[in-house]
Amino acid sequence: MNDPGRDKGSVILLAEWIALSAFLENRQTAADAEGEPSLAFVGRAITIALLVVNTLLVNQDEDVPCNMNESLPLQAEHIAVENFVVAIGLDSPMGMEELKKSPELLRVALENVTGVRLSESLQSKKYAIQDDTQTLHKLGLLLYQLFSGGKIVPSSLAGGNDTQPADESNIVDAKQARKREEGFDEGAEDEEKPGAQKGRQKRFIADACKISRKVHISNFEDALLERHVPASICTLLKDLIVLEEENDEAFQSLEEVSAELEQIHVFFSREDNAVQKGVLEFGGGTVGRREEMRCLLEAAAQIEVEVGNPSNPSTLVRIEGDPGIGKSYLVKSVIPTLTQSGWICLSCKFDRLMYDQLSTIASAFETFFRHLVTLTNEMLSNEEAEDVGAILSHVQENLSSSGIVVLSEFMPSLRTLYPAIFASLVDDDSFHSSEEDRDATEDKNIEDSTMDEEIMASAFSRKNRLHYLFKMLVHAISRPNHPLFLWIDDLQWANERSIELLSSLLTDSGHLNNNNVHSFLAVTSYRSNEITPILSRYFEKIDSSALVVVRNILLDAISKSDMNVVVSDALRLPLRQTRALADVLYAKTIGNPLYLQVFMKSMTDEKMLSWSLVQKRWIWSIEAIKATPIDDNVAELLTRKLMRLPKDSQKALKAASCFGVHVEESSLRVLLASDVSQSILPCLERAQEEGILEIEDGLRFTHDMIQEAAYDLMSPEERVGYHYTFGVQLAAQIPLSEEANYFAATDHINRAKALAAIEGLSLDQSMNIEFATLNLTAGNRSMEISDFPSALKYLQYGISFLPETKWDTNYELSLRVYEDACLACYINARPDKMIEFLQEILQNARSFDDKLKGLFVLVQKLTSLGKLKESMNKVFFILDELGESFPESEVTEAVIHDTMMLTKSSLDGVSKEDLIAAPRLNNKRMHWAVKLMAYIVPYVFMLKSSYLSLLACRIVNISTKYGMVSESAFGYLVYGYCHITILHDIEEGYRWGKNALLLLESFDARNLLPKFKVLCYHRELMLLLHVDLFTS
């Protein structure tokens, strides 16, 4: 910072520089009384102070020569303003009077100092100045002149001891104080011995000297404060000038002085409006986390190094620690660095009050796509436009149109980015809606049963496909020059479905097979004391995978010295001046950064830590802080903090906490419409000022523990009341087309019911039927998006809202809820609950038709358990009830042959065009008959092959008479197979097999296609065997 050996520009004495700087301040103050000239003066003085101290340090580092007679070492008395010169930024030398004539030129000269060095007379004295008290004392006297504008320290302080004479008034004050302390009776003064009087007089004089010094110290501090000199500078000067034996924080070396000046210079350079207003502000929270930050950046750097290697495994960084330890701050601190390096950084955060958790991970990608929507609406450079276009092209190439449509359920911005894809869907819907009445006349129950079968048949494939689409989305977004960084916060609150998706993304081996470059880094942060068994199980799976490199970061409490850095930065005071306070705070907060912040803010509330308008700095009572009782954890401290807020503010925060950490804008509208709305806005603004809330797409609690504390502050009655009210208002006021809000409404109502049950509270029963319907719809929607665990929860809540007389008063609703609950139990592998719900249906159904859906779930469950014969027999029992009976004894070849010939005659002249154009089946019982027969075709083929032709012909005959359904294709396929094996007509059998495939394609029944192809494969295999035997 200072090169004393080289001067650039004009050189003036330090005393002259001080005088010129004071002159400029006075000149500017006369024109502007706002205090800015004084601040500029102080800023210049701090710069010069650092240069002076560094000059002394440079001389201190010189080696002492062997011949000490050539030059004497630099002494403490040499440290004076007349022994230093300053190099100022002028092209040519100018006198002081010339400079005073041009204030602007003077300002430039004073602020462009290029160096400070010893005067010419002391240039030879370059050796080892000592770090003794006199050196530091003399430095303090010099710096006082610098900051005071040339004033001299009072003589009582300049000597650095207590031997200076005292004023007469101080002696009188000292006498009176001493007499009061000793209980001295003035009437007895004449009776004292002369020696005693003389000793007492000496003590009076000593006390008077101390009082005099205190007065002078106060005066010289006031003189500095009047010039807007920071209190930290005043303290520094006092500790240098006033030599007190009991000062534990006294300076020991010039290095300490230099370090403190550097820190003060940093604080002074900031524009700290918050500090000027007496508001505590804390930094980013990464103090003491250098090693952890390095680990995160190393993981990213490793991916960048291996970016061209297709066999590069996925990387997971797991960050764990106690609540408030700084996990989020750590990740946030590295994101700017990664973004500048070209990384695409996405993040999401789980919430303990959230049910629809898969949308949490999807929200990270939705935020990214929403940003792309914003970019497409702006004027971009050619490079930016090409970059956005490349991302959109990669997404479409990797996902295809159908994949984009599926993901748009979770990421609505895709609809805006790919309008052509969704416009074609609208056109298709319009075309189908204008077709002939065959679709319009199809029974609604048949549509529902078809959808249920698709869900049952493809539950696991749907989940796998969704995982696949997310994997391909990661591949599409992450590119060699733009790797993907995905941060998932508060993973301890994720449900199994979300954890399973994350595990699938990490253990993805697709890039190994197709040589896709895998540029993906996942970071999870979670509370180490709240790890669930599900999370532990998946961590074990990931740890054992060769496809994932795992790095673990455990965040512990910060050290005492690091805590002092945090305290120093918050108070804008040097480390030396906050060390004692930081030691006490460390003992109180056990090194937890959030605990520290909350505790310090509570200290300001209780006036133990306050901003002094006189001293213009933070002051505190360390004894009061020591006496403050310690809370067991940060949650208790946060609760105490919230309880000190006004009642209206507490009420507003309680209400907001019911929505979780983030209150979205749509939920905020409901909050504002509630009964707390009259006073909520000013209360929320107050909470924002207190650092409890921040505005970010609605409202967001600054820390999840603050939201938890606000939520836990409520009584059980309040929680039930708020959740119930918000649920009803969301359901009534927000359009149900807003799906996220629809789920939110259902979640609030369900949570109110659960809390009421736990606490033994009663809930308004008047809307129970509406709530059951809400849960039924939410359950169906969850199954459509493959969220089967959530679907089961919604349907179970739906059942709980039904009245005891449900089968009499709400039959149709009860039947649908129980049917869908059976289906959800089957998919979630809950056979006990499935049987319970099925028994309810079988005991209360008004007709056999109403039992069909539940019975079909039972059939599929038996099949999944390997009980194929039992499952097949159950189907034949159901078919018999539907009027489609089959022989109980083994059928003869004659019966089989006759049945085939009768069916063949009924199909004479029927072409493939006739099949595709045939009417759709709209008879519910016949639909179920065809569906059940098609379902057991594979098992009949294995266990009861003589019935195969009978099943095929029965499906064909029903379809010909009543209309076609997607399952009809299985009948025609097996009918073609039987043509070859029974009637030995290979050509006709092949023709009907082709017709069956065309029929299936006309229904767009993709969920049935895998099963159909399996049957085709077995048919071809058997046909080859049959043809070989026949020809031989």
Side-chain angles (χ1 to χ4, degrees), residues 815 818-819 822 837-845 850:
L815 181 63
Y818 274 96
E819 285 176 341
C822 276
F837 295 145
L838 179 59
Q839 289 297 329
E840 187 78 15
I841 294 173
L842 296 180
Q843 291 172 9
N844 295 281
D850 290 345

Side-chain angles (χ1 to χ4, degrees), residues 178-380:
R178 178 70 68 177
K179 288 177 180 179
R180 285 194 299 271
E181 290 177 6
E182 298 180 0
F184 181 70
D185 184 2
E186 292 185 7
E189 185 174 358
D190 295 338
E191 301 176 4
E192 284 190 292
K193 296 180 179 180
Q197 292 179 355
K198 187 175 181 181
R200 187 179 297 280
Q201 184 72 18
K202 288 183 178 179
R203 289 195 296 273
F204 286 159
I205 293 173
D207 290 344
C209 289
K210 292 180 180 179
I211 293 175
S212 178
R213 285 169 58 79
K214 289 180 180 179
V215 170
H216 287 129
I217 290 173
S218 177
N219 290 339
F220 105 83
E221 286 180 335
D222 290 343
L224 293 172
L225 290 173
E226 287 175 0
R227 286 186 169 273
H228 296 275
V229 176
S232 53
I233 291 286
C234 297
T235 303
L236 179 146
L237 296 179
K238 186 188 73 173
D239 290 345
L240 286 172
I241 295 170
V242 182
L243 305 178
E244 297 179 355
E245 295 180 1
E246 297 181 358
N247 185 5
D248 295 332
E249 300 297 335
F251 288 105
Q252 302 298 319
S253 66
L254 289 172
E255 284 88 350
E256 291 183 3
V257 178
S258 177
E260 188 155 313
L261 280 171
E262 287 279 6
Q263 196 176 11
I264 293 172
H265 184 262
V266 171
F267 291 151
F268 190 81
S269 301
R270 295 181 185 173
E271 295 182 2
D272 271 340
N273 295 325
V275 172
Q276 299 302 325
K277 295 178 181 178
V279 178
L280 281 176
E281 276 196 352
F282 295 88
T286 57
V287 174
R289 304 301 190 198
R290 182 177 300 176
E291 184 63 25
E292 290 82 358
M293 291 176 65
R294 183 189 62 78
C295 181
L296 260 177
L297 293 173
E298 274 187 1
Q302 186 63 34
I303 289 178
E304 292 174 351
V305 170
E306 300 287 339
V307 76
N309 181 7
S311 62
N312 182 28
S314 302
T315 302
L316 171 65
V317 178
R318 295 192 299 230
I319 304 173
E320 64 174 297
D322 292 334
I325 206 68
K327 303 180 290 295
S328 299
Y329 278 126
L330 174 64
V331 182
K332 289 177 181 177
S333 67
V334 303
I335 286 179
T337 302
L338 295 177
T339 302
Q340 291 175 1
S341 302
W343 282 74
I344 297 174
C345 297
L346 309 182
S347 64
C348 60
K349 182 181 180 70
F350 283 100
D351 193 320
R352 67 169 181 165
L353 295 183
M354 183 180 295
Y355 278 163
D356 182 23
Q357 294 193 334
L358 186 61
S359 62
T360 300
I361 296 179
S363 69
F365 297 94
E366 165 61 12
T367 302
F368 173 71
F369 287 125
R370 196 185 308 138
H371 177 63
L372 292 186
V373 171
T374 304
L375 291 179
T376 55
N377 295 328
E378 296 177 353
M379 295 295 293
L380 301 177

Side-chain angles (χ1 to χ4, degrees), residues 442-723:
E442 191 169 7
D443 188 271
K444 181 68 170 63
N445 290 327
I446 296 177
E447 293 179 0
D448 292 342
S449 64
T450 302
M451 182 180 295
D452 291 342
E453 183 184 1
E454 290 177 0
I455 292 173
M456 286 188 288
S458 60
F460 303 106
S461 61
R462 279 181 172 218
K463 180 184 71 174
N464 293 336
R465 188 190 184 205
L466 193 62
H467 288 185
Y468 172 78
L469 290 175
F470 270 96
K471 292 174 187 177
M472 296 311 295
L473 184 59
V474 168
H475 284 303
I477 295 177
S478 60
R479 292 162 290 159
N481 57 333
H482 292 294
L484 178 63
F485 176 93
L486 177 61
W487 170 36
I488 302 176
D489 195 13
D490 283 327
L491 189 65
Q492 75 276 357
W493 287 323
N495 62 9
E496 184 171 8
R497 185 175 180 234
S498 300
I499 300 172
E500 187 179 19
L501 173 59
L502 174 62
S503 176
S504 177
L505 291 176
L506 290 169
T507 56
D508 172 26
S509 60
H511 66 286
L512 302 178
N513 299 327
N514 55 24
N515 292 326
N516 284 335
V517 175
H518 202 52
S519 309
F520 174 50
L521 171 61
V523 176
T524 62
S525 50
Y526 52 92
R527 298 180 182 179
S528 54
N529 61 340
E530 297 185 29
I531 299 177
T532 62
I534 294 174
L535 188 56
S536 296
R537 187 171 72 248
Y538 276 94
F539 277 167
E540 291 174 2
K541 176 183 175 183
I542 292 172
D543 288 339
S544 62
S545 173
L547 300 172
V548 187
V549 174
V550 179
R551 294 174 181 245
N552 295 306
I553 297 177
L554 175 61
L555 289 187
D556 289 321
I558 61 176
S559 66
K560 188 181 293 186
S561 59
D562 288 331
M563 180 163 282
N564 188 28
V565 173
V566 177
V567 174
S568 167
D569 187 70
L571 301 180
R572 304 299 189 264
L573 291 172
L575 293 166
R576 184 183 62 89
Q577 298 178 24
T578 60
R579 188 173 294 117
L581 174 62
D583 289 347
V584 175
L585 294 177
Y586 185 84
K588 296 284 184 182
T589 62
I590 56 176
N592 186 298
L594 177 63
Y595 202 165
L596 171 69
Q597 293 181 22
V598 177
F599 186 72
M600 289 185 69
K601 288 180 180 179
S602 72
M603 287 163 49
T604 63
D605 295 337
E606 297 176 9
K607 308 304 180 185
M608 290 182 287
L609 174 66
S610 59
W611 175 259
S612 171
L613 293 174
V614 176
Q615 300 183 40
K616 295 182 175 59
R617 58 159 282 179
W618 288 98
I619 59 175
W620 55 86
S621 170
I622 199 159
E623 294 302 324
I625 296 171
K626 287 180 179 179
T628 303
I630 301 175
D631 294 281
D632 290 338
N633 52 54
V634 69
E636 292 183 7
L637 181 59
L638 283 167
T639 301
R640 253 192 331 117
K641 174 181 174 62
L642 294 179
M643 291 182 68
R644 284 195 296 267
L645 295 173
K647 293 294 183 182
D648 286 346
S649 296
Q650 291 185 40
K651 187 176 181 181
L653 290 173
K654 289 176 184 178
S657 71
C658 292
F659 292 90
V661 176
H662 183 203
V663 186
E664 297 180 353
E665 291 182 2
S666 56
S667 299
L668 182 59
R669 292 196 297 269
V670 173
L671 183 62
L672 295 176
S674 64
D675 59 351
V676 296
S677 62
Q678 294 180 352
S679 59
I680 195 171
L681 282 177
C683 293
L684 293 178
E685 291 172 358
R686 165 78 184 273
Q688 185 181 2
E689 293 174 358
E690 292 283 337
I692 295 172
L693 292 174
E694 59 186 22
I695 305 298
E696 183 181 333
D697 295 331
L699 291 176
R700 186 181 293 276
F701 285 87
T702 52
H703 198 281
D704 48 53
M705 292 201 69
I706 299 177
Q707 181 270 332
E708 291 177 44
Y711 190 79
D712 294 340
L713 202 60
M714 290 186 284
S715 66
E717 292 82 1
E718 286 179 305
R719 292 179 197 167
V720 171
Y722 276 131
H723 281 302

Side-chain angles (χ1 to χ4, degrees), residues 23 35 156 164 195 275 283 298 311 373 389 673 722 731 735 748 793 904 1007:
F23 169 81
S156 62
Q164 301 299 322
V275 172
E298 274 187 1
S311 62
V373 171
Y722 276 131
H748 275 293
K793 287 182 180 179
K904 180 181 179 183
N1007 61 302

Side-chain angles (χ1 to χ4, degrees), residues 158-174:
N161 53 52
D162 291 341
T163 61
Q164 301 299 322
D167 295 336
E168 185 66 27
S169 61
N170 293 329
I171 295 177
V172 174
D173 291 341

Side-chain angles (χ1 to χ4, degrees), residues 45-95:
I46 293 175
T47 301
I48 294 298
L50 275 167
L51 291 171
V52 168
V53 176
N54 287 342
T55 297
L56 295 175
L57 285 172
V58 170
N59 283 279
Q60 191 180 48
D61 290 339
E62 295 287 343
D63 294 330
V64 178
C66 297
N67 187 0
M68 287 292 297
N69 294 325
E70 293 180 5
S71 176
L72 295 175
L74 194 65
Q75 301 295 324
E77 60 264 19
H78 294 136
I79 303 176
V81 292
E82 60 269 16
N83 291 330
F84 289 86
V85 294
V86 181
I88 58 176
L90 289 178
D91 295 332
S92 58
M94 295 180 66

